């Protein structure tokens, strides 16, 4: 069946939306050859289940599919990135999925929008990671067979102590760099240079504060995971303590219990720190308002929303160094996208693997 027939039979898309998908489908073979992988377009069916409406296989390398999957369903448990991108309208990168032929792949997914900015489908690029998954399973099996040792508990305690000491040293080094920045800022005669150095100083202090928090025992879970609700609470309390005495801004947290590795906790906290700082500095001209931090746990992807009820988002703010760094951090380290829009104030959302 053609893309138009599949969309007409299984989706609620309009003729105009289907035409947009047809134009996108014309590029699939080129994209497939470019990434040397299988490429698809999926749409949401009337029954709430995604369906494959277009596909292309690479001509220069072997496809991972024995046959066609046109018209077949993509299940949410097998392809979570597809559903997240269809629902939220954001790209997802390097997300594990299982194909209709039971092959483990990594997916890059990006939304296809109509003229009104509504997501009408997603473009999917895939590559086989079955060998990587097999090696991970073998490693896990070997780890589970390793006999328990009476020294395990004391060894874990020693490791955790070493981690805390390392975070403490990193904090001290960052604070020293911040002091050097401050000296340069005081000597500079250029207002623009002073502004840039101040931004750099604030970022260094933010990272230093994070490492100071990570050096505290109560944040680290027994499995060497970081409690995000505890970390976010300390982050919010720390920024609240720096507010001007005339500011009356309440920061409220609504958090599911989520534990992540330190490697993931640091970029998450950096992004939240920047979003909170941005709201505190720009959202409330009269000095009063509310900020909500919502942490929602998902089976594969969790999300964080930072929403203030202030003056709304100015598009020129995207050019600021802080938000640029936050967007890059979400894209490069969390494999997602930072979405910021005006919605009864400013609402910023990003997702990450858990």
């Amino acid at each position: 069946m053609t893309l138009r027939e599949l969309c007409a039979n299984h989706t609620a898309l309009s003729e105009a939306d289907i035409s947009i998908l047809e134009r996108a489908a014309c590029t699939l073979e080129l994209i497939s050859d470019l990434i040397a992988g299988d490429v698809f377009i999926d749409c949401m069916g009337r029954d709430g289940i995604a369906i494959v409406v277009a596909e292309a296989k690479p001509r220069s390398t072997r496809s991972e599919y024995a046959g066609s999957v046109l018209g077949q369903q993509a299940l949410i448990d097998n392809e979570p990135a597809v559903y997240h991108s269809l629902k939220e309208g954001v790209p997802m990168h390097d997300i594990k999925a299982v194909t209709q032929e039971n092959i483990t792949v990594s997916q890059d997914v990006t939304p296809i929008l109509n003229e009104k900015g509504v997501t009408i489908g997603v473009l999917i690029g895939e590559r086989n990671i079955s060998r990587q998954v097999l090696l991970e399973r073998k490693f896990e099996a070997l780890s589970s067979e390793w006999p328990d040792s009476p020294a395990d508990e004391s060894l874990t305690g020693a490791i955790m102590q070493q981690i805390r000491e390392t975070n403490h040293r990193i904090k001290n080094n960052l604070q020293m760099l911040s002091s050097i920045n401050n000296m340069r800022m005081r000597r500079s005669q250029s207002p623009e240079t002073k502004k840039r150095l101040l931004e750099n100083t604030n970022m260094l202090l933010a990272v230093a504060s994070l490492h100071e928090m990570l050096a505290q025992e109560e944040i680290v879970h027994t499995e060497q995971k970081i409690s995000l609700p505890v970390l976010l609470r300390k982050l919010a309390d720390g920024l609240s303590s720096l507010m001007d005495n005339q500011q009356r801004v309440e920061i409220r947290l609504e958090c599911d219990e989520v534990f992540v590795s330190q490697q993931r906790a640091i970029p998450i906290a950096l992004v939240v720190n920047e979003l909170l700082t941005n709201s505190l500095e720009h959202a409330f001209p009269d000095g009063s308002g509310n900020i909500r931090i919502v942490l929602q746990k998902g089976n594969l992807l969790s999300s964080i929303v930072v929403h203030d009820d202030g003056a709304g988002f100015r598009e020129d703010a995207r050019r600021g160094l802080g938000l640029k760094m936050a967007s890059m951090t979400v894209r490069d380290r969390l494999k997602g996208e930072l979405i910021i829009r005006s919605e009864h104030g400013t609402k910023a959302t990003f997702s990450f693997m858990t």
Side-chain angles (χ1 to χ4, degrees), residues 7-138:
C7 289
N9 291 342
H10 298 282
T11 76
L13 296 175
S14 67
E15 288 293 318
D17 290 343
I18 295 173
S19 295
I20 292 173
L21 293 177
E22 285 180 322
R23 291 196 292 272
C26 291
T27 66
L28 290 193
E29 282 194 354
L30 288 174
I31 297 173
S32 181
D33 286 340
L34 179 66
I35 69 170
D38 297 285
V39 179
F40 305 91
I41 293 177
D42 285 11
C43 298
M44 187 62 75
R46 294 190 188 93
D47 56 1
I49 302 177
I51 183 172
V52 183
V53 298
E55 64 181 2
K57 299 179 179 181
R59 291 172 289 189
S60 56
T61 60
R62 183 178 66 86
S63 168
E64 300 300 334
Y65 288 78
S68 173
V69 293
L70 275 178
Q72 294 189 30
Q73 293 179 330
L75 303 179
I76 188 170
D77 289 341
N78 292 341
E79 302 185 46
V82 169
Y83 283 81
H84 188 77
S85 190
L86 282 168
K87 179 184 177 183
E88 302 294 339
V90 297
M92 301 295 295
H93 303 286
D94 295 326
I95 306 299
K96 192 181 296 183
V98 178
T99 72
Q100 289 83 353
E101 297 182 358
N102 204 33
I103 298 170
T104 304
V105 296
S106 176
Q107 289 184 332
D108 292 318
V109 185
T110 191
I112 302 172
L113 309 180
N114 64 13
E115 293 177 353
K116 297 179 180 179
V118 176
T119 301
I120 58 176
V122 290
L123 177 65
I124 307 163
E126 295 182 351
R127 64 180 184 277
N128 191 331
I129 57 170
S130 296
R131 177 174 172 77
Q132 175 185 331
V133 171
L134 180 61
L135 291 172
E136 288 174 358
R137 288 174 179 169
K138 286 183 177 179

Side-chain angles (χ1 to χ4, degrees), residues 16 106 138 169 181 195 245 252 292 327:
S106 176
K138 286 183 177 179
R169 285 196 295 271
N181 245 7
K195 179 182 176 182
N245 290 334
R252 293 186 291 114
R292 290 172 61 235
S327 295

